Amino acid sequence: MDQPLAISDLGTEGEKLPAYTNHDGFLLPVGFPTSSFDSALMYEAQDNGELHSATKLEELSVPLISLAHLFIVTYPKCGTTWTQHITYLILHDGVPLAADQRMDVVWPHLEEVGSEFVREKATIAGGYRLIKTHFPHKYTPKNPNAKYIYVSRNPKDCVVSFYHHTVGFPRHYDFAEGKFDTYFNLFLQGKVDSNDYFEFLREWLDHKDDPNVLFLRYEKGRQDTREYILQIASFLDASIYPQRLLADDEKILKLVMEHSSLDSMKQNPRRWCSDRTGFKPFIRKGSTGGWDELLSEEQAALLQKRLDEMFSKEELDFLGDQYH
């Protein structure tokens, strides 16, 4: 049964908290239809040719999907839109979304819009059906012929960005006047939408070497965007896209880099989200290591403690300097 989270559930009396819908233990922004979430769990799910009737998360077996699905998978605020747009640019020879196009239509969010919308309206590009999800690995539709681009971002930058996101969408969170310290405590407990950051990362990191998974690190992409783009291009089809990007003195690659720059993406911002008049823009900084604008050293240490508890030193080294 869906339950709006109340102050008494998570905070001290009188403390302003973001609003969420608690759908079988999974927190969603208010207004996201739970029927869409349920149909996303069922996306192409088959059992001897028949759809499952289960609605509880724990009752659902692993879904199957058909050939030519391309998923961008992230925990929220970990480089989702930037990576979507880079991939879109690669598949469209460097031509960006037009001012009147919306990324959430071209590349729909599976659990927000549901499986029917995705089947009928998701863009087919380069032989792929384009799908975005913030599902943990255990709920993401699986097929060995599908491809999954996963992007990680360090929790310090993630929590700061996620806070600004939550403040900036009052119709989904009712948190326009909310305090960062309040939000941080919820994030640390995994009591924000998409639940626990650390468990989410743990699940996907365990699959980083799967042959149909490209595990990207946002920080490395910001440091070397050219290499980030070429990694995606090779993953899409190593026999086609790298050569296409590099041909004619890297003409298309230069277009991809130009149109995926933050300055370019800040133009015509309605391509990426609904109206945020009066709040910080959806494409804000996209920086790495800027977390100390809000995060105290004590809070950073608490995040580091969770990382150290859940990941080995070798895994943190792989993820990057910002995870230490």
Side-chain angles (χ1 to χ4, degrees):
M1 181 177 179
D2 299 338
Q3 304 171 17
L5 293 179
I7 286 175
S8 59
D9 291 326
L10 296 177
T12 58
E13 186 175 354
E15 184 180 13
K16 178 63 178 175
L17 299 178
Y20 300 105
T21 297
N22 185 345
H23 186 52
D24 291 334
F26 199 94
L27 301 188
L28 300 168
V30 172
F32 278 33
T34 56
S35 58
S36 295
F37 182 90
D38 289 338
S39 75
L41 288 172
M42 304 283 288
Y43 184 62
E44 297 291 327
Q46 294 183 353
D47 184 6
N48 296 323
E50 296 182 359
L51 290 175
H52 290 277
S53 60
T55 57
K56 297 287 186 180
L57 302 186
E58 64 271 16
E59 295 172 355
L60 188 69
S61 63
V62 176
L64 298 174
I65 63 173
S66 57
L67 181 65
H69 286 65
L70 177 63
F71 287 85
I72 297 284
V73 188
T74 67
Y75 189 82
K77 309 313 296 178
C78 288
T80 320
T81 303
W82 185 58
T83 306
Q84 281 179 279
H85 194 43
I86 286 174
T87 308
Y88 178 91
L89 288 164
I90 294 169
L91 293 169
H92 292 84
D93 293 336
V95 178
L97 283 179
D100 61 351
Q101 287 183 289
R102 288 284 300 269
M103 181 64 82
D104 59 359
V105 175
V106 171
W107 202 311
H109 183 186
L110 176 61
E111 57 268 33
E112 180 181 359
V113 300
S115 59
E116 183 177 353
F117 184 100
V118 169
R119 280 193 295 266
E120 295 180 359
K121 297 185 179 181
T123 298
I124 305 295
Y128 294 108
R129 185 183 299 277
L130 306 181
I131 305 171
K132 161 192 163 182
T133 183
H134 294 312
F135 269 156
H137 186 271
K138 60 188 173 187
Y139 299 144
T140 301
K142 311 292 194 312
N143 189 288
N145 294 317
K147 291 189 176 184
Y148 304 84
I149 298 176
Y150 180 83
V151 189
S152 68
R153 188 184 191 186
N154 77 83
K156 304 179 189 78
D157 286 324
C158 176
V159 67
V160 171
S161 182
F162 211 171
Y163 164 72
H164 287 301
H165 172 91
T166 304
V167 166
F169 284 107
R171 68 189 180 94
H172 288 309
Y173 302 103
D174 188 24
F175 196 60
E177 305 300 324
K179 297 179 180 179
F180 176 74
D181 288 351
T182 300
Y183 186 81
F184 174 83
N185 290 333
L186 299 180
F187 181 91
L188 189 64
Q189 298 172 66
K191 294 177 178 178
V192 296
D193 43 324
S194 292
N195 294 25
D196 190 273
Y197 164 95
F198 302 93
E199 293 176 1
F200 196 106
L201 177 58
R202 175 73 272 167
E203 284 189 24
W204 277 100
L205 188 62
D206 287 341
H207 293 273
K208 72 179 179 63
D209 295 322
D210 290 2
N212 61 340
V213 172
L214 176 63
F215 193 104
L216 295 172
R217 291 149 290 180
Y218 180 77
E219 292 81 10
K220 291 188 179 297
R222 299 303 306 166
Q223 292 167 4
D224 189 347
T225 302
R226 184 181 188 278
E227 177 60 26
Y228 192 84
I229 293 168
L230 290 173
Q231 279 185 276
I232 295 172
S234 295
F235 182 70
L236 295 173
D237 192 325
S239 68
I240 296 176
Y241 293 106
Q243 295 92 322
R244 188 177 292 179
L245 265 61
L246 295 171
D248 298 326
D249 192 29
E250 303 187 353
K251 177 182 177 181
I252 294 177
L253 176 59
K254 290 174 182 176
L255 288 173
V256 175
M257 294 188 68
E258 174 188 349
H259 292 302
S260 64
S261 70
L262 292 181
D263 286 342
S264 178
M265 289 183 66
K266 286 179 180 178
Q267 300 172 24
N268 302 310
R270 291 296 295 275
R271 293 180 295 172
W272 320 121
C273 72
S274 55
D275 184 43
R276 286 168 64 99
T277 302
F279 297 96
K280 291 182 183 293
F282 184 78
I283 303 296
R284 197 174 58 90
K285 289 186 177 181
S287 62
T288 63
W291 49 265
D292 56 358
E293 65 171 279
L294 288 175
L295 203 64
S296 69
E297 290 186 8
E298 180 182 4
Q299 289 169 331
L302 289 171
L303 294 175
Q304 190 62 52
K305 182 174 184 291
R306 288 292 309 278
L307 286 171
D308 292 340
E309 289 170 349
M310 295 194 66
F311 303 93
S312 69
K313 181 182 182 303
E314 291 74 20
E315 289 172 330
L316 295 177
D317 288 345
F318 166 79
L319 290 168
D321 294 342
Q322 296 287 341
Y323 292 80
H324 287 285

